[in-house]
């Protein structure tokens, strides 16, 4: 989600309290946020919900954007977190609705596309990683979902470059192990 310099300046102005800049910023980033949510969540309606949550989070929290890093980096993190939160919420609602019915199962391959099913499995694996090792999940989200380079990941997390690389490697091994049975992978 590379944003042009005008968008970056709008973000800095919005962070300083310029409400007109915030309105323009939200209009400019909306298509990119929706596209990014769509890469994380397999269903358009879910991506739209996450996109709206992201725009609301940006509007509420723009004052926290300090401008030390690029706004696009900050936006990546907010977007990924909102998409993952939306997924957890949808999963929880589905479990509550189906508690009287059949137990929650993996997606039925006959009814769900391979891409959608694999995204759901990946989100489940990421959720497990976040529950057990949140520091690894943060690094993996920044690198593989937000597509930041290793230096940007280290900078965002405030850790040395080698530590960032190590966390990403460990997180990938964890996720690969979690997906192994479903995809015939061996770690």
């Amino acid at each position: 989600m590379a944003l042009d310099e005008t968008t970056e300046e709008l973000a800095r102005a919005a962070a300083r309290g310029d409400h007109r800049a915030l309105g323009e910023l939200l209009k400019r980033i909306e298509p990119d946020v929706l596209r990014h949510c769509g890469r994380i969540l397999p269903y358009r309606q879910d991506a739209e919900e996450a996109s709206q949550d992201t725009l609301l989070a940006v509007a509420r929290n723009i004052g926290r954007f300090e401008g030390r890093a690029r706004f696009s980096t900050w936006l990546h993190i907010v977007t990924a977190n909102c998409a993952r939160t939306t997924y957890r919420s949808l999963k929880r609602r589905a479990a509550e609705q189906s508690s009287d019915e059949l137990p929650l199962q993996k997606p039925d391959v006959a009814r769900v596309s391979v891409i959608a099913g694999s995204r759901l499995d990946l989100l489940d694996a990421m959720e497990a990683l976040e529950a057990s090792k949140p520091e690894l999940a943060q690094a993996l989200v920044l690198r593989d979902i937000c597509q930041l380079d290793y230096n940007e990941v280290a900078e965002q997390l405030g850790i040395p470059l080698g530590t960032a690389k190590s966390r990403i490697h460990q997180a990938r091994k964890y996720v690969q192990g979690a997906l192994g049975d479903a995809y015939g992978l061996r770690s």
Side-chain angles (χ1 to χ4, degrees):
M1 199 180 329
L3 303 175
D4 62 21
E5 208 46 52
T6 302
T7 306
E8 294 285 341
E9 181 52 42
L10 282 170
R12 289 188 288 274
R16 291 189 300 267
D18 183 337
H19 295 292
R20 198 168 347 132
L22 177 60
E24 180 62 29
L25 175 67
L26 293 174
K27 277 190 249 176
R28 280 177 160 256
I29 65 173
E30 185 175 14
D32 290 327
V33 168
L34 179 57
R35 194 170 24 264
H36 192 70
C37 287
R39 288 196 331 229
I40 298 170
L41 295 164
Y43 303 108
R44 175 128 180 115
Q45 302 92 321
D46 299 344
E48 288 171 352
E49 182 177 333
S51 176
Q52 291 304 308
D53 291 345
T54 300
L55 295 172
L56 184 59
V58 168
R60 285 184 176 161
N61 299 306
I62 191 68
R64 294 183 185 165
F65 172 62
E66 299 171 353
R68 289 183 303 195
R70 293 185 58 81
F71 173 72
S72 58
T73 302
W74 185 80
L75 182 60
H76 275 300
I77 295 165
V78 172
T79 303
N81 286 341
C82 285
R84 290 170 44 224
T85 299
T86 298
Y87 173 71
R88 284 192 294 270
S89 172
L90 293 167
K91 185 176 174 183
R92 186 176 51 254
R93 277 187 258 159
E96 289 168 359
Q97 290 173 352
S98 66
S99 63
D100 296 332
E101 302 166 12
L102 298 174
L104 188 63
Q105 298 176 357
K106 294 272 187 211
D108 179 5
V109 178
R111 295 182 18 204
V112 178
S113 76
V114 173
I115 293 170
S118 63
R119 283 193 208 160
L120 293 175
D121 291 341
L122 179 59
L123 286 168
D124 285 339
M126 287 295 300
E127 187 176 1
L129 175 63
E130 187 172 37
S132 65
K133 299 179 184 206
E135 71 283 356
L136 298 183
Q138 290 174 332
L140 186 65
V141 165
L142 292 173
R143 177 66 184 129
D144 289 353
I145 296 176
C146 297
Q147 299 178 336
L148 301 182
D149 67 35
Y150 289 104
N151 289 321
E152 290 172 313
V153 171
E155 182 182 322
Q156 276 302 124
L157 296 176
I159 58 176
L161 178 61
T163 303
K165 288 180 177 182
S166 174
R167 286 183 184 179
I168 293 163
H169 176 73
Q170 290 173 35
R172 286 175 178 162
K173 284 185 72 152
Y174 181 97
V175 169
Q176 183 181 15
L179 294 175
D181 291 335
Y183 293 93
L185 299 173
R186 300 282 182 241
S187 359

